[in-house]
Amino acid sequence: QVQLVESGGGLVQPGGSLRLSCAASGSFFSIGTMGWYRQAAGKQRELVAAATSGGTTNYADSVKGRFTISRDNAKNTVYLQMNSLKPEDTAVYYCNTYAEYALGYRRAYWGQGTQVTVSS
């Protein structure tokens, strides 16, 4: 079982910045890919950014050049630095991570979500 605790959401003006954090705890062999998804009101959840344990990253086209995902493997924590925020970034942001267990078993877990609102 894995628990994911998110923090860092809030209200910011367009052009502002926020940093989201997600810390994983529990019982597992290791943490695999970690990522961030978001879901705006009335829309489907979409991938924002993801990072493998080896450091490979992937971003949605809408956030490239503005958002940066990073992770601290020793702390089982993933971060999302969000700069130059736009109203279109308003959504609930969810942390997602794969926990790895014995015999190659993997299970995905979701954080509780944190609200990001970009408005003047």
Side-chain angles (χ1 to χ4, degrees):
Q1 187 68 30
V2 173
Q3 294 78 45
L4 300 177
V5 179
E6 301 180 27
S7 63
L11 173 65
V12 296
Q13 295 186 196
S17 298
L18 285 173
R19 190 182 76 152
L20 306 183
S21 299
C22 175
S25 63
S27 180
F28 46 81
F29 179 75
S30 63
I31 294 294
T33 300
M34 305 181 81
W36 292 93
Y37 290 73
R38 67 186 181 187
Q39 187 166 23
K43 297 185 178 181
Q44 289 191 327
R45 189 172 299 185
E46 64 176 349
L47 176 68
V48 177
T52 68
S53 60
T56 301
T57 59
N58 186 50
Y59 297 91
D61 288 340
S62 60
V63 307
K64 287 181 179 178
R66 300 189 298 121
F67 292 9
T68 302
I69 188 171
S70 61
R71 58 188 288 170
D72 186 334
N73 290 333
K75 297 181 179 180
N76 293 319
T77 299
V78 64
Y79 306 92
L80 185 68
Q81 179 66 47
M82 304 184 293
N83 299 326
S84 301
L85 283 162
K86 304 175 181 179
E88 305 89 83
D89 296 317
T90 296
V92 177
Y93 284 69
Y94 296 91
C95 176
N96 175 269
T97 188
Y98 281 89
E100 301 175 346
Y101 303 92
L103 303 177
Y105 174 73
R106 301 186 181 191
R107 169 75 183 277
Y109 294 88
W110 292 94
Q112 80 279 10
T114 183
Q115 177 71 47
V116 172
T117 301
V118 184
S119 177
S120 59

